[in-house]
Amino acid sequence: MTNMRIAIAGVTGRMGKKLIQSLPHIEGIVLGAAFVRPGSIVTGIDVGQVVGEKILGIKLIDNLNTAINDFDVLIDFTNPAATLTYIDFCCKYKKSMVIGTTGFTEYEKKKIFLASENISIVLSPNFSVGINVVIKLLEKITTVMGNYADIEIIESHHRNKRDAPSGTALAMGEAIANIMHWDLNKKAIYNRGIHSGKRLANTIGFATIRAGDIIGEHTAIFADIGERIEITHKASSRITFAHGALKAAIWVNNKKPGIYSMQDVLALSTL
């Protein structure tokens, strides 16, 4: 069986390095190309040298057009502006994508959904198996407690994370809001000031922590008088995100155009 070829964007970043390091542990997939930003000082250097691995025989490139025939699926964990550039390229040459970038504006989200009319895309704020199981569990809890419990979502990440709340926290909120038939934009409370007043019913509160080197922790709380349910997921290594993204790349290859989630990849709809 021929291995499926992937390209990785942002190889010098945290997730880019983990993806390269995880490749030997996932069967049926090989590295075909590795991208860095235009003008990067590491352009032309072997990927393995940059990520601390053995020589891989693939050089880092900053020109997408030189790798048109070298990959089937592009994995992107960069930033919104770069992601849109990669999307335009992949649409032009009919390449599937796995997108783990977060912090998109509504306009940028629309661009991604328009692209999905031409190519298959797995779009997820979190590729770990555990967090996707948690999101499915939140849907179940919401059907029982959503009408009367106070709902809070707390997320913690490292000091350098730019978007807040995290994409995963927002995905958790969306899952709850969808079950309740709410518009999250109208029900989310992102900032409680010193004099915010009494907690409003039928809202979802968000709290954000940015500190040290926390990889990712998310807790959802459903609290009533006398009892509460707390569901927490803690990521101790980015390797779990990398493995999930590589599995998503294998899954999305040759799928018909559309937007897919990690829930689709893991077939969690039957839970």
Side-chain angles (χ1 to χ4, degrees):
M1 182 178 69
T2 303
N3 286 324
M4 193 268 288
R5 305 166 304 163
I6 63 164
I8 297 175
V11 172
T12 58
R14 295 182 185 88
M15 276 304 301
K17 291 178 180 178
K18 284 298 180 186
L19 285 163
I20 297 294
Q21 293 163 358
S22 299
L23 272 171
H25 305 289
I26 306 295
E27 294 184 359
I29 191 168
V30 295
L31 183 65
F35 300 129
V36 290
R37 67 181 181 277
S40 171
I41 61 173
V42 296
T43 301
I45 298 175
D46 187 272
V47 177
Q49 288 179 281
V50 173
V51 302
E53 297 289 304
K54 64 182 180 181
I55 299 297
L56 299 178
I58 294 178
K59 294 182 178 180
L60 292 166
I61 56 177
D62 62 0
N63 184 343
L64 305 183
N65 292 309
T66 62
I68 293 171
N69 299 315
D70 295 335
F71 70 96
D72 307 299
V73 179
L74 171 64
I75 302 179
D76 171 61
F77 283 82
T78 54
N79 61 73
T83 297
L84 293 185
T85 297
Y86 292 126
I87 284 176
D88 288 342
F89 177 84
C90 288
C91 281
K92 183 176 181 179
Y93 295 103
K94 302 301 180 184
K95 308 287 187 179
S96 297
M97 290 188 71
V98 171
I99 301 175
T101 304
T102 58
F104 294 109
T105 64
E106 290 302 315
Y107 170 77
E108 290 164 341
K109 290 177 184 177
K110 288 179 181 178
K111 291 272 289 185
I112 296 172
F113 278 90
L114 284 173
S116 71
E117 296 177 1
N118 299 305
I119 61 174
S120 55
I121 300 172
V122 176
L123 174 66
S124 178
N126 195 310
F127 283 88
S128 83
V129 172
I131 200 67
N132 282 280
V133 172
V134 164
I135 289 173
K136 182 57 64 174
L137 291 174
L138 294 182
E139 294 175 354
K140 302 293 185 182
I141 296 171
T142 303
T143 61
V144 178
M145 300 181 67
N147 284 317
Y148 64 86
D150 296 327
I151 304 172
E152 299 284 316
I153 296 172
I154 305 168
E155 59 97 348
S156 304
H157 284 86
H158 55 88
R159 63 177 61 154
N160 294 316
K161 186 170 177 60
R162 297 180 181 181
D163 54 316
S166 69
T168 300
L170 292 174
M172 293 166 72
E174 285 283 3
I176 294 167
N178 288 340
I179 294 297
M180 296 302 298
H181 304 290
W182 292 343
D183 180 344
L184 183 61
N185 290 326
K186 296 179 180 179
K187 295 293 186 176
I189 306 296
Y190 297 120
N191 180 33
R192 290 193 175 102
I194 297 175
H195 303 293
S196 59
K198 182 180 178 181
R199 189 191 198 284
L200 298 175
N202 298 322
T203 58
I204 303 174
F206 287 82
T208 295
I209 296 170
R210 294 288 177 266
D213 61 353
I214 301 171
I215 291 174
E217 298 181 5
H218 297 83
T219 296
I221 300 172
F222 291 76
D224 190 25
I225 304 301
E227 68 171 353
R228 71 178 182 269
I229 292 176
E230 296 185 9
I231 295 184
T232 297
H233 178 270
K234 297 181 179 182
S236 58
S237 170
R238 289 184 179 83
I239 205 76
T240 185
F241 309 138
H243 283 183
L246 291 171
K247 291 175 181 177
I250 295 172
W251 183 89
V252 78
N253 188 36
N254 295 322
K255 287 287 188 297
K256 66 180 182 180
I259 287 279
Y260 301 95
S261 69
M262 200 58 186
Q263 303 271 320
D264 297 316
V265 175
L266 300 172
L268 291 178
S269 59
T270 58
L271 290 181

